[in-house]
């Protein structure tokens, strides 16, 4: 028996059994997986954190490592056919869960108009991809099993398998929180992941009703995890500088596509042109939209005759950032009038020489689920690992949601609220602040 070893900054080594799990090594060497070397794990966060250059392939290997640990824990919990059959689909899903990520990871999803999970499922199910062919060679139904584990709706597989890969406390999150913390230098991603992985239990009698819970002794490790998740979102994932560049990238891509649709002879690299020209892009067309493709396209646009396309491309490549401006504060009893405020900002931009204000007044709405990244289901009879982290407490007939046992978690598990801010060029920042200070609700 031999092992293939991979050096990893988090775990020192990630090992794959080259006999028992040889199919993983074959999957790893496919073009679809190797493409993930060229996808930044943290999108364009490197513009804020210079060390954030890690990629999706390294993260995927980390998720495989944690899944292997989880499978060892599962084998300790008991032995039945369903548990034994879960090994191949779980390890394959751990490796392939991000195979559909586009350029700059989550950042580019609004530009492409589809979540990466959907493209991951398409890549696994498309019989022209090497990942599909390898999975099918292991077992005919394995591509569909893996697709079900990766996809959002998975009625055909046991819930606990899905929740191990994607839930409120899963191997994916445990890896990326720690990995992103390491590479950004932000020290918020520390929690006792080893204890979490080695203490989880199954709750429920039947194979189809199993759920993942934790014993009370793991509650402080879970508390660390929840706070880590909260702090990483507030300080890294939602960093105002990063969000500003994300909005510029979206505006640039949207404007370029609009010009192309209007037959404005905008210069396009072949992969982008083919993708935009397709009514329903194929998996092959999608996978050719890589980060270097997008960067080449943006570089090409710096010479475009369209003033706005040229300017936004230059700003993105030169790190000439937009600055955030918060909308005027309104009484809690009054709904914020964002439309009126946007009209006022647009007028200010016109007076400052920006002929298409909508490209220079970029609204950033952060959904409440990201402002409060752990918001559990409150109804006890509807809770599962999918929507709540639950622990078993002596004397309680059922598992309880973690924040009901730890008061310190309640402030970070309250009902989430959306947050809105705007990004505008630096040269109009002071005028915008004056406008906000004098705001009466009308432009």
């Amino acid at each position: 028996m031999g092992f293939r070893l991979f050096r990893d900054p988090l775990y020192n080594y990630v090992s794959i059994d080259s006999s028992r799990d040889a199919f993983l090594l074959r999957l790893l060497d496919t073009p679809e997986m190797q493409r993930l070397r060229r996808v930044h794990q943290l999108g364009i966060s490197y513009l804020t954190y210079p060390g954030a250059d890690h990629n999706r392939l390294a993260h995927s290997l980390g998720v495989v490592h944690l899944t292997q640990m989880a499978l060892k824990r599962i084998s300790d919990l008991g032995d039945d056919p369903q548990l034994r059959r879960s090994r191949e689909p779980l390890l394959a899903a751990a490796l392939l869960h991000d195979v559909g990520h586009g350029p700059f990871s989550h950042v580019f999803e609004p530009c492409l108009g589809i979540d990466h999970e959907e493209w991951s499922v398409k890549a696994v199910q498309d019989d022209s991809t090497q990942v599909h062919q390898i999975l099918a060679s292991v077992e005919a139904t394995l591509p569909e099993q893996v697709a079900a584990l990766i996809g959002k709706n998975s009625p055909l597989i046991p819930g606990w398998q899905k929740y191990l890969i994607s839930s409120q406390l899963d191997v994916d999150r445990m890896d990326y929180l720690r990995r992103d913390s390491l590479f950004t230098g932000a020290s918020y991603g520390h929690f006792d992941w080893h204890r979490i992985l080695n203490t989880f239990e199954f709750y429920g009698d039947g194979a189809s009703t199993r759920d993942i819970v934790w014993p009370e002794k793991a509650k402080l490790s879970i508390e660390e995890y929840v706070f880590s998740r909260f702090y990483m979102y507030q300080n890294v994932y939602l960093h105002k500088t990063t969000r500003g560049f994300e909005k510029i990238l979206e505006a640039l891509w949207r404007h370029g596509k609009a010009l192309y649709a209007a037959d404005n002879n905008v210069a396009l690299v072949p992969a982008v042109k083919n993708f935009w020209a397709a009514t329903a892009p194929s998996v092959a067309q999608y996978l050719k939209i890589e980060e270097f493709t997008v960067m080449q396209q943006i570089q090409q646009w710096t010479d475009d005759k369209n003033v706005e396309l040229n300017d936004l491309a230059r700003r993105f490549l030169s790190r000439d950032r937009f600055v955030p401006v918060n909308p005027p504060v309104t009484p809690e009893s009054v709904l914020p009038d964002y439309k009126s405020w946007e009209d006022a900002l647009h007028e200010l931009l016109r007076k400052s020489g920006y002929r298409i204000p909508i490209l220079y007044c970029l609204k950033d709405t952060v959904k409440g689920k990201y402002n409060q990244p752990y918001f559990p289901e409150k109804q006890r009879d509807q809770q599962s690992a999918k929507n709540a982290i639950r622990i078993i407490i002596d004397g309680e007939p059922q598992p309880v949601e973690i924040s009901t046992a730890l008061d310190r978690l309640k402030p970070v598990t309250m009902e989430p609220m959306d947050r809105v801010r705007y990004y505008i060029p630096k040269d109009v920042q002071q005028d915008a602040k004056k406008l906000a200070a004098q705001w009466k609700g009308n432009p």
Side-chain angles (χ1 to χ4, degrees), residues 103-354:
F104 308 111
S105 294
H106 294 283
V107 174
F108 221 64
E109 289 182 355
C111 299
L112 300 176
I114 189 171
D115 290 343
H116 77 276
E117 289 93 351
E118 295 182 51
W119 279 112
S120 293
V121 168
K122 288 175 182 288
V124 167
Q125 293 177 326
D126 190 325
D127 59 12
S128 70
T129 66
Q130 288 190 27
V131 292
H132 174 93
Q133 294 162 11
I134 291 170
L135 291 172
S137 72
V138 176
E139 182 183 339
T141 62
L142 191 53
E144 289 307 313
Q145 293 179 61
V146 174
L149 283 167
I150 294 173
K152 292 183 178 179
N153 299 313
S154 310
L156 301 179
I157 60 170
W160 69 267
Q161 292 185 20
K162 173 69 176 177
Y163 302 154
L164 194 66
I165 300 295
S166 178
S167 65
Q168 289 298 321
L169 179 47
D170 57 47
V171 287
D172 181 24
R173 284 183 171 89
M174 278 191 274
D175 183 84
Y176 76 62
L177 287 172
R178 298 183 63 245
R179 191 172 298 273
D180 295 346
S181 176
L182 173 66
F183 281 93
T184 58
S187 301
Y188 305 110
H190 300 292
F191 55 91
D192 194 350
W193 60 277
H194 200 275
R195 187 172 183 83
I196 291 172
L197 272 178
N198 283 280
T199 57
F200 73 83
E201 302 175 5
F202 287 132
Y203 177 77
D205 297 328
S208 62
T209 59
R210 283 192 183 105
D211 201 1
I212 296 176
V213 297
W214 279 264
E216 187 174 9
K217 65 182 180 182
K219 67 181 181 181
L220 296 183
S221 300
I222 297 173
E223 181 184 49
E224 282 185 310
Y225 161 82
V226 173
F227 276 115
S228 171
R229 195 166 154 186
F230 177 78
Y231 292 138
M232 284 295 288
Y233 270 89
Q234 295 302 314
N235 292 282
V236 176
Y237 304 135
L238 300 178
H239 193 287
K240 62 182 181 181
T241 300
T242 305
R243 293 291 291 185
F245 280 112
E246 290 174 6
K247 294 295 121 179
I248 290 177
L249 183 60
E250 287 177 32
L252 172 61
W253 195 258
R254 187 170 61 246
H255 187 49
K257 190 173 183 179
L259 291 172
Y260 166 75
D263 295 323
N264 277 295
N265 198 31
V266 62
L268 296 179
V269 299
V272 173
K273 185 175 183 179
N274 292 338
F275 185 77
W276 281 355
T279 304
S282 67
V283 171
Q285 287 175 316
Y286 171 77
L287 293 178
K288 286 183 179 179
I289 305 296
E290 299 208 34
E291 285 188 10
F292 64 78
T293 311
V294 174
M295 294 300 282
Q296 181 186 2
Q297 182 63 80
I298 295 173
Q299 179 67 55
Q300 193 164 325
W301 281 341
T302 60
D303 294 324
D304 199 272
K305 294 180 180 180
N306 182 271
V307 174
E308 288 74 26
L309 195 64
N310 179 310
D311 182 51
L312 291 174
R314 177 197 60 78
R315 286 176 182 271
F316 183 79
L317 293 180
S318 302
R319 202 181 180 277
D320 183 4
R321 68 190 184 98
F322 283 9
V323 293
V325 173
N326 293 321
V329 177
T330 57
E332 292 185 4
S333 60
V334 179
L335 290 174
D337 184 7
Y338 294 126
K339 177 62 170 63
S340 179
W341 171 244
E342 288 173 26
D343 290 343
L345 284 178
H346 288 175
E347 183 60 28
L348 175 63
L349 286 162
R350 284 191 192 92
K351 291 178 179 178
S352 300
Y354 295 95

Side-chain angles (χ1 to χ4, degrees), residues 22-41:
F23 76 101
L24 288 180
L25 297 175
R26 293 168 59 203
L27 286 172
L28 186 62
D29 287 335
T30 60
E32 296 86 12
M33 277 302 301
Q34 288 300 309
R35 175 180 173 275
L36 296 185
R37 291 184 185 274
R38 304 183 294 276
V39 177
H40 277 88
Q41 168 76 11

Side-chain angles (χ1 to χ4, degrees), residues 69-79 83 86 90 160 164 200 202:
M69 293 182 64
L71 287 168
K72 173 61 171 64
R73 170 63 181 169
I74 289 170
S75 69
D76 293 340
L77 292 175
D79 183 31
L83 298 180
S86 68
L90 282 173
W160 69 267
L164 194 66
F200 73 83
F202 287 132

